[in-house]
Amino acid sequence: MTKRIWVLVIVCLVGVLGFAVAESNQEAEKSAVAAAEAWLELVDGGDFAKSWSEAASYLRGAVSKDTFEQQMSAARNPLGNVLSREVKKTTYMTTAPGAPDGEYVVIQTDTSFENKKSAVETITPMLDEDGKWRVSGYFIK
């Protein structure tokens, strides 16, 4: 084969591999969003103990159940009920600051609460040890 054909073959292979990775990331993002939505239902309902139990092992190892419940109650209760929530951005990552390498999806939502009309929630599910997507981080801004 000529050099030009080899370059074309390599470019095609890179394109196919890139598409496969993008497809994989889309499936990961879809699964992670579904896991985050289920977890947020617990949080929205004030069931912080169950949300801790359903969180990623990384989160459960980093903060005790009692501390988590206290922090979540202090952060969420003053906001009131969720009026609306819309996923604005998802980002697949294999590294996260201060966390072990793995598979993560950072999800940002535009959320409106009774007592805070405009907020951005950042929910970070990770692929946990049991092969399920579970929330490893949650922040409200």
Side-chain angles (χ1 to χ4, degrees):
M1 283 189 183
T2 67
K3 186 175 184 179
R4 184 176 181 181
I5 293 175
W6 274 112
V7 169
L8 181 60
V9 169
I10 290 170
V11 167
C12 288
L13 284 174
V14 168
V16 168
L17 291 173
F19 179 75
V21 168
E23 280 292 311
S24 174
N25 292 350
Q26 286 177 350
E27 284 302 311
E29 289 176 11
K30 184 178 174 182
S31 297
V33 167
E37 288 172 344
W39 186 84
L40 284 168
E41 282 184 33
L42 297 172
V43 171
D44 292 345
D47 195 347
F48 305 131
K50 178 104 171 148
S51 67
W52 181 87
S53 296
E54 293 295 319
S57 56
Y58 176 75
L59 185 148
R60 293 190 321 266
V63 62
S64 73
K65 185 176 183 179
D66 289 341
T67 299
F68 181 81
E69 287 182 84
Q70 291 168 359
Q71 290 175 347
M72 289 297 287
S73 178
R76 282 297 302 268
N77 289 345
L79 301 176
N81 292 324
V82 172
L83 301 177
S84 67
R85 178 183 286 127
E86 183 179 345
V87 173
K88 284 298 188 183
K89 185 176 178 183
T90 59
T91 306
Y92 175 86
M93 306 170 76
T94 55
T95 61
D101 289 348
E103 292 186 64
Y104 298 87
V105 175
V106 178
I107 303 165
Q108 290 186 320
T109 67
D110 285 340
T111 307
S112 179
F113 297 93
E114 285 177 324
N115 302 320
K116 185 169 180 63
K117 297 301 178 202
S118 181
V120 175
E121 291 177 294
T122 303
I123 310 100
T124 307
M126 68 182 292
L127 192 61
D128 211 353
E129 299 165 349
D130 62 1
K132 293 182 181 179
W133 286 95
R134 297 182 187 277
V135 172
S136 63
Y138 176 70
F139 303 96
I140 303 170
K141 185 176 178 182

mmCIF file of all heavy atoms in Angstrom, residues 39-40 42-44 46-49 51-52 59 65-79 121 137-140:
data_model
loop_
_atom_site.group_PDB
_atom_site.id
_atom_site.type_symbol
_atom_site.label_atom_id
_atom_site.label_comp_id
_atom_site.label_asym_id
_atom_site.label_seq_id
_atom_site.Cartn_x
_atom_site.Cartn_y
_atom_site.Cartn_z
ATOM 1 N N TRP A 39 -31.776 9.240 42.608
ATOM 2 C CA TRP A 39 -31.182 9.696 43.870
ATOM 3 C C TRP A 39 -31.778 11.034 44.289
ATOM 4 O O TRP A 39 -32.086 11.252 45.454
ATOM 5 C CB TRP A 39 -29.668 9.782 43.705
ATOM 6 C CG TRP A 39 -28.914 10.091 44.949
ATOM 7 C CD1 TRP A 39 -28.515 9.212 45.917
ATOM 8 C CD2 TRP A 39 -28.439 11.376 45.377
ATOM 9 N NE1 TRP A 39 -27.825 9.871 46.898
ATOM 10 C CE2 TRP A 39 -27.765 11.196 46.598
ATOM 11 C CE3 TRP A 39 -28.516 12.653 44.823
ATOM 12 C CZ2 TRP A 39 -27.173 12.260 47.275
ATOM 13 C CZ3 TRP A 39 -27.931 13.706 45.501
ATOM 14 C CH2 TRP A 39 -27.270 13.501 46.717
ATOM 15 N N LEU A 40 -31.958 11.930 43.334
ATOM 16 C CA LEU A 40 -32.531 13.239 43.634
ATOM 17 C C LEU A 40 -33.971 13.125 44.141
ATOM 18 O O LEU A 40 -34.402 13.952 44.943
ATOM 19 C CB LEU A 40 -32.467 14.151 42.401
ATOM 20 C CG LEU A 40 -31.100 14.725 42.089
ATOM 21 C CD1 LEU A 40 -31.086 15.366 40.702
ATOM 22 C CD2 LEU A 40 -30.650 15.720 43.154
ATOM 23 N N LEU A 42 -35.010 10.937 46.202
ATOM 24 C CA LEU A 42 -34.848 10.714 47.642
ATOM 25 C C LEU A 42 -34.517 12.026 48.343
ATOM 26 O O LEU A 42 -35.092 12.351 49.384
ATOM 27 C CB LEU A 42 -33.741 9.685 47.899
ATOM 28 C CG LEU A 42 -33.974 8.276 47.369
ATOM 29 C CD1 LEU A 42 -32.716 7.435 47.520
ATOM 30 C CD2 LEU A 42 -35.147 7.624 48.078
ATOM 31 N N VAL A 43 -33.587 12.771 47.780
ATOM 32 C CA VAL A 43 -33.172 14.045 48.361
ATOM 33 C C VAL A 43 -34.344 15.027 48.370
ATOM 34 O O VAL A 43 -34.616 15.675 49.381
ATOM 35 C CB VAL A 43 -31.954 14.626 47.601
ATOM 36 C CG1 VAL A 43 -31.643 16.038 48.050
ATOM 37 C CG2 VAL A 43 -30.730 13.724 47.797
ATOM 38 N N ASP A 44 -35.039 15.109 47.248
ATOM 39 C CA ASP A 44 -36.184 16.025 47.146
ATOM 40 C C ASP A 44 -37.262 15.682 48.170
ATOM 41 O O ASP A 44 -37.943 16.564 48.677
ATOM 42 C CB ASP A 44 -36.787 15.995 45.748
ATOM 43 C CG ASP A 44 -35.864 16.576 44.687
ATOM 44 O OD1 ASP A 44 -34.881 17.259 45.037
ATOM 45 O OD2 ASP A 44 -36.138 16.331 43.495
ATOM 46 N N GLY A 46 -36.641 14.551 51.091
ATOM 47 C CA GLY A 46 -36.088 14.715 52.433
ATOM 48 C C GLY A 46 -35.581 13.432 53.055
ATOM 49 O O GLY A 46 -35.259 13.394 54.249
ATOM 50 N N ASP A 47 -35.468 12.362 52.270
ATOM 51 C CA ASP A 47 -34.979 11.082 52.795
ATOM 52 C C ASP A 47 -33.459 11.030 52.654
ATOM 53 O O ASP A 47 -32.912 10.286 51.842
ATOM 54 C CB ASP A 47 -35.639 9.914 52.065
ATOM 55 C CG ASP A 47 -35.466 8.596 52.796
ATOM 56 O OD1 ASP A 47 -34.631 8.525 53.738
ATOM 57 O OD2 ASP A 47 -36.158 7.629 52.435
ATOM 58 N N PHE A 48 -32.794 11.848 53.464
ATOM 59 C CA PHE A 48 -31.346 11.969 53.369
ATOM 60 C C PHE A 48 -30.623 10.695 53.818
ATOM 61 O O PHE A 48 -29.563 10.364 53.290
ATOM 62 C CB PHE A 48 -30.859 13.183 54.162
ATOM 63 C CG PHE A 48 -31.541 14.462 53.750
ATOM 64 C CD1 PHE A 48 -32.086 15.312 54.689
ATOM 65 C CD2 PHE A 48 -31.659 14.809 52.415
ATOM 66 C CE1 PHE A 48 -32.716 16.492 54.315
ATOM 67 C CE2 PHE A 48 -32.284 15.984 52.017
ATOM 68 C CZ PHE A 48 -32.819 16.825 52.977
ATOM 69 N N ALA A 49 -31.198 9.971 54.761
ATOM 70 C CA ALA A 49 -30.586 8.710 55.212
ATOM 71 C C ALA A 49 -30.553 7.703 54.061
ATOM 72 O O ALA A 49 -29.530 7.064 53.804
ATOM 73 C CB ALA A 49 -31.356 8.141 56.401
ATOM 74 N N SER A 51 -30.769 8.444 50.866
ATOM 75 C CA SER A 51 -29.905 8.945 49.790
ATOM 76 C C SER A 51 -28.439 8.643 50.101
ATOM 77 O O SER A 51 -27.664 8.355 49.189
ATOM 78 C CB SER A 51 -30.136 10.432 49.533
ATOM 79 O OG SER A 51 -29.720 11.224 50.616
ATOM 80 N N TRP A 52 -28.056 8.685 51.386
ATOM 81 C CA TRP A 52 -26.687 8.305 51.767
ATOM 82 C C TRP A 52 -26.477 6.815 51.485
ATOM 83 O O TRP A 52 -25.454 6.423 50.929
ATOM 84 C CB TRP A 52 -26.436 8.605 53.244
ATOM 85 C CG TRP A 52 -25.049 8.270 53.700
ATOM 86 C CD1 TRP A 52 -23.947 9.065 53.633
ATOM 87 C CD2 TRP A 52 -24.609 7.040 54.300
ATOM 88 N NE1 TRP A 52 -22.850 8.407 54.146
ATOM 89 C CE2 TRP A 52 -23.227 7.145 54.564
ATOM 90 C CE3 TRP A 52 -25.256 5.850 54.636
ATOM 91 C CZ2 TRP A 52 -22.487 6.132 55.133
ATOM 92 C CZ3 TRP A 52 -24.520 4.820 55.210
ATOM 93 C CH2 TRP A 52 -23.149 4.968 55.454
ATOM 94 N N LEU A 59 -18.513 8.115 48.424
ATOM 95 C CA LEU A 59 -19.152 9.135 49.252
ATOM 96 C C LEU A 59 -19.401 8.605 50.659
ATOM 97 O O LEU A 59 -19.111 9.273 51.649
ATOM 98 C CB LEU A 59 -20.470 9.593 48.617
ATOM 99 C CG LEU A 59 -21.180 10.746 49.311
ATOM 100 C CD1 LEU A 59 -21.933 11.581 48.274
ATOM 101 C CD2 LEU A 59 -22.152 10.282 50.359
ATOM 102 N N LYS A 65 -22.991 8.768 57.833
ATOM 103 C CA LYS A 65 -24.419 8.923 57.561
ATOM 104 C C LYS A 65 -24.992 10.106 58.343
ATOM 105 O O LYS A 65 -25.724 10.933 57.779
ATOM 106 C CB LYS A 65 -25.158 7.630 57.917
ATOM 107 C CG LYS A 65 -26.614 7.629 57.558
ATOM 108 C CD LYS A 65 -27.212 6.252 57.875
ATOM 109 C CE LYS A 65 -28.646 6.162 57.486
ATOM 110 N NZ LYS A 65 -29.210 4.830 57.763
ATOM 111 N N ASP A 66 -24.660 10.216 59.628
ATOM 112 C CA ASP A 66 -25.177 11.315 60.454
ATOM 113 C C ASP A 66 -24.716 12.672 59.934
ATOM 114 O O ASP A 66 -25.515 13.613 59.835
ATOM 115 C CB ASP A 66 -24.748 11.144 61.919
ATOM 116 C CG ASP A 66 -25.461 9.998 62.614
ATOM 117 O OD1 ASP A 66 -26.526 9.565 62.118
ATOM 118 O OD2 ASP A 66 -24.958 9.532 63.655
ATOM 119 N N THR A 67 -23.449 12.776 59.609
ATOM 120 C CA THR A 67 -22.918 14.039 59.094
ATOM 121 C C THR A 67 -23.573 14.385 57.762
ATOM 122 O O THR A 67 -23.951 15.531 57.521
ATOM 123 C CB THR A 67 -21.388 13.962 58.944
ATOM 124 O OG1 THR A 67 -20.812 13.710 60.225
ATOM 125 C CG2 THR A 67 -20.813 15.244 58.360
ATOM 126 N N PHE A 68 -23.722 13.390 56.909
ATOM 127 C CA PHE A 68 -24.361 13.612 55.610
ATOM 128 C C PHE A 68 -25.792 14.112 55.793
ATOM 129 O O PHE A 68 -26.199 15.086 55.149
ATOM 130 C CB PHE A 68 -24.349 12.307 54.797
ATOM 131 C CG PHE A 68 -24.962 12.442 53.438
ATOM 132 C CD1 PHE A 68 -24.233 12.972 52.392
ATOM 133 C CD2 PHE A 68 -26.268 12.038 53.199
ATOM 134 C CE1 PHE A 68 -24.804 13.100 51.126
ATOM 135 C CE2 PHE A 68 -26.843 12.166 51.946
ATOM 136 C CZ PHE A 68 -26.097 12.695 50.904
ATOM 137 N N GLU A 69 -26.536 13.459 56.659
ATOM 138 C CA GLU A 69 -27.921 13.879 56.911
ATOM 139 C C GLU A 69 -27.973 15.325 57.413
ATOM 140 O O GLU A 69 -28.815 16.116 56.959
ATOM 141 C CB GLU A 69 -28.582 12.957 57.928
ATOM 142 C CG GLU A 69 -28.931 11.589 57.378
ATOM 143 C CD GLU A 69 -29.623 10.729 58.418
ATOM 144 O OE1 GLU A 69 -30.855 10.868 58.563
ATOM 145 O OE2 GLU A 69 -28.929 9.942 59.090
ATOM 146 N N GLN A 70 -27.073 15.675 58.327
ATOM 147 C CA GLN A 70 -27.047 17.038 58.869
ATOM 148 C C GLN A 70 -26.715 18.055 57.775
ATOM 149 O O GLN A 70 -27.366 19.106 57.667
ATOM 150 C CB GLN A 70 -26.042 17.137 60.018
ATOM 151 C CG GLN A 70 -26.451 16.387 61.258
ATOM 152 C CD GLN A 70 -25.306 16.258 62.258
ATOM 153 O OE1 GLN A 70 -24.197 16.715 62.028
ATOM 154 N NE2 GLN A 70 -25.587 15.609 63.387
ATOM 155 N N GLN A 71 -25.708 17.751 56.972
ATOM 156 C CA GLN A 71 -25.290 18.678 55.923
ATOM 157 C C GLN A 71 -26.370 18.834 54.849
ATOM 158 O O GLN A 71 -26.636 19.948 54.385
ATOM 159 C CB GLN A 71 -23.979 18.208 55.289
ATOM 160 C CG GLN A 71 -22.797 18.345 56.215
ATOM 161 C CD GLN A 71 -21.519 17.760 55.635
ATOM 162 O OE1 GLN A 71 -21.534 17.041 54.638
ATOM 163 N NE2 GLN A 71 -20.396 18.063 56.273
ATOM 164 N N MET A 72 -26.988 17.739 54.469
ATOM 165 C CA MET A 72 -28.037 17.804 53.452
ATOM 166 C C MET A 72 -29.256 18.554 53.976
ATOM 167 O O MET A 72 -29.845 19.375 53.256
ATOM 168 C CB MET A 72 -28.424 16.399 52.985
ATOM 169 C CG MET A 72 -27.352 15.728 52.141
ATOM 170 S SD MET A 72 -27.000 16.590 50.597
ATOM 171 C CE MET A 72 -28.467 16.186 49.678
ATOM 172 N N SER A 73 -29.616 18.302 55.199
ATOM 173 C CA SER A 73 -30.754 18.995 55.796
ATOM 174 C C SER A 73 -30.492 20.498 55.845
ATOM 175 O O SER A 73 -31.359 21.310 55.487
ATOM 176 C CB SER A 73 -31.015 18.443 57.198
ATOM 177 O OG SER A 73 -32.085 19.123 57.800
ATOM 178 N N ALA A 74 -29.292 20.877 56.267
ATOM 179 C CA ALA A 74 -28.932 22.292 56.349
ATOM 180 C C ALA A 74 -28.904 22.949 54.976
ATOM 181 O O ALA A 74 -29.267 24.123 54.831
ATOM 182 C CB ALA A 74 -27.573 22.452 57.032
ATOM 183 N N ALA A 75 -28.507 22.210 53.953
ATOM 184 C CA ALA A 75 -28.400 22.780 52.613
ATOM 185 C C ALA A 75 -29.740 22.816 51.882
ATOM 186 O O ALA A 75 -30.059 23.793 51.206
ATOM 187 C CB ALA A 75 -27.391 21.985 51.787
ATOM 188 N N ARG A 76 -30.523 21.753 52.032
ATOM 189 C CA ARG A 76 -31.737 21.644 51.212
ATOM 190 C C ARG A 76 -33.006 22.176 51.864
ATOM 191 O O ARG A 76 -33.847 22.790 51.191
ATOM 192 C CB ARG A 76 -31.956 20.173 50.824
ATOM 193 C CG ARG A 76 -31.074 19.669 49.703
ATOM 194 C CD ARG A 76 -31.329 20.391 48.377
ATOM 195 N NE ARG A 76 -32.694 20.288 47.934
ATOM 196 C CZ ARG A 76 -33.165 19.342 47.121
ATOM 197 N NH1 ARG A 76 -32.346 18.427 46.635
ATOM 198 N NH2 ARG A 76 -34.432 19.310 46.781
ATOM 199 N N ASN A 77 -33.193 21.947 53.144
ATOM 200 C CA ASN A 77 -34.459 22.336 53.774
ATOM 201 C C ASN A 77 -34.806 23.816 53.619
ATOM 202 O O ASN A 77 -35.962 24.138 53.331
ATOM 203 C CB ASN A 77 -34.500 21.899 55.238
ATOM 204 C CG ASN A 77 -34.635 20.399 55.378
ATOM 205 O OD1 ASN A 77 -34.974 19.691 54.433
ATOM 206 N ND2 ASN A 77 -34.353 19.895 56.562
ATOM 207 N N PRO A 78 -33.852 24.737 53.765
ATOM 208 C CA PRO A 78 -34.202 26.153 53.598
ATOM 209 C C PRO A 78 -34.674 26.514 52.177
ATOM 210 O O PRO A 78 -35.343 27.520 51.982
ATOM 211 C CB PRO A 78 -32.900 26.893 53.919
ATOM 212 C CG PRO A 78 -32.097 25.938 54.723
ATOM 213 C CD PRO A 78 -32.471 24.579 54.226
ATOM 214 N N LEU A 79 -34.322 25.691 51.198
ATOM 215 C CA LEU A 79 -34.678 25.994 49.814
ATOM 216 C C LEU A 79 -36.140 25.695 49.498
ATOM 217 O O LEU A 79 -36.688 26.245 48.544
ATOM 218 C CB LEU A 79 -33.774 25.212 48.854
ATOM 219 C CG LEU A 79 -32.274 25.477 48.995
ATOM 220 C CD1 LEU A 79 -31.485 24.570 48.056
ATOM 221 C CD2 LEU A 79 -31.964 26.935 48.727
ATOM 222 N N GLU A 121 -27.528 22.945 40.285
ATOM 223 C CA GLU A 121 -27.133 21.745 41.035
ATOM 224 C C GLU A 121 -26.085 21.013 40.202
ATOM 225 O O GLU A 121 -26.225 20.897 38.986
ATOM 226 C CB GLU A 121 -28.319 20.817 41.267
ATOM 227 C CG GLU A 121 -29.351 21.339 42.222
ATOM 228 C CD GLU A 121 -30.533 20.392 42.343
ATOM 229 O OE1 GLU A 121 -31.260 20.217 41.346
ATOM 230 O OE2 GLU A 121 -30.720 19.826 43.437
ATOM 231 N N GLY A 137 -21.079 12.841 44.453
ATOM 232 C CA GLY A 137 -20.948 14.248 44.837
ATOM 233 C C GLY A 137 -22.196 15.024 44.491
ATOM 234 O O GLY A 137 -22.877 14.706 43.513
ATOM 235 N N TYR A 138 -22.480 16.053 45.304
ATOM 236 C CA TYR A 138 -23.669 16.891 45.103
ATOM 237 C C TYR A 138 -23.391 18.282 45.647
ATOM 238 O O TYR A 138 -22.957 18.430 46.790
ATOM 239 C CB TYR A 138 -24.867 16.276 45.825
ATOM 240 C CG TYR A 138 -26.136 17.105 45.761
ATOM 241 C CD1 TYR A 138 -26.831 17.252 44.585
ATOM 242 C CD2 TYR A 138 -26.627 17.739 46.897
ATOM 243 C CE1 TYR A 138 -27.986 18.007 44.517
ATOM 244 C CE2 TYR A 138 -27.790 18.491 46.848
ATOM 245 C CZ TYR A 138 -28.466 18.620 45.643
ATOM 246 O OH TYR A 138 -29.617 19.373 45.588
ATOM 247 N N PHE A 139 -23.628 19.300 44.817
ATOM 248 C CA PHE A 139 -23.408 20.687 45.224
ATOM 249 C C PHE A 139 -24.526 21.559 44.670
ATOM 250 O O PHE A 139 -25.055 21.295 43.597
ATOM 251 C CB PHE A 139 -22.063 21.218 44.672
ATOM 252 C CG PHE A 139 -20.890 20.384 45.094
ATOM 253 C CD1 PHE A 139 -20.388 19.397 44.254
ATOM 254 C CD2 PHE A 139 -20.295 20.575 46.328
ATOM 255 C CE1 PHE A 139 -19.316 18.616 44.634
ATOM 256 C CE2 PHE A 139 -19.216 19.799 46.716
ATOM 257 C CZ PHE A 139 -18.726 18.817 45.873
ATOM 258 N N ILE A 140 -24.871 22.594 45.412
ATOM 259 C CA ILE A 140 -25.857 23.573 44.964
ATOM 260 C C ILE A 140 -25.186 24.937 44.950
ATOM 261 O O ILE A 140 -24.540 25.321 45.928
ATOM 262 C CB ILE A 140 -27.077 23.629 45.911
ATOM 263 C CG1 ILE A 140 -27.741 22.275 46.042
ATOM 264 C CG2 ILE A 140 -28.096 24.662 45.404
ATOM 265 C CD1 ILE A 140 -28.786 22.221 47.132
#
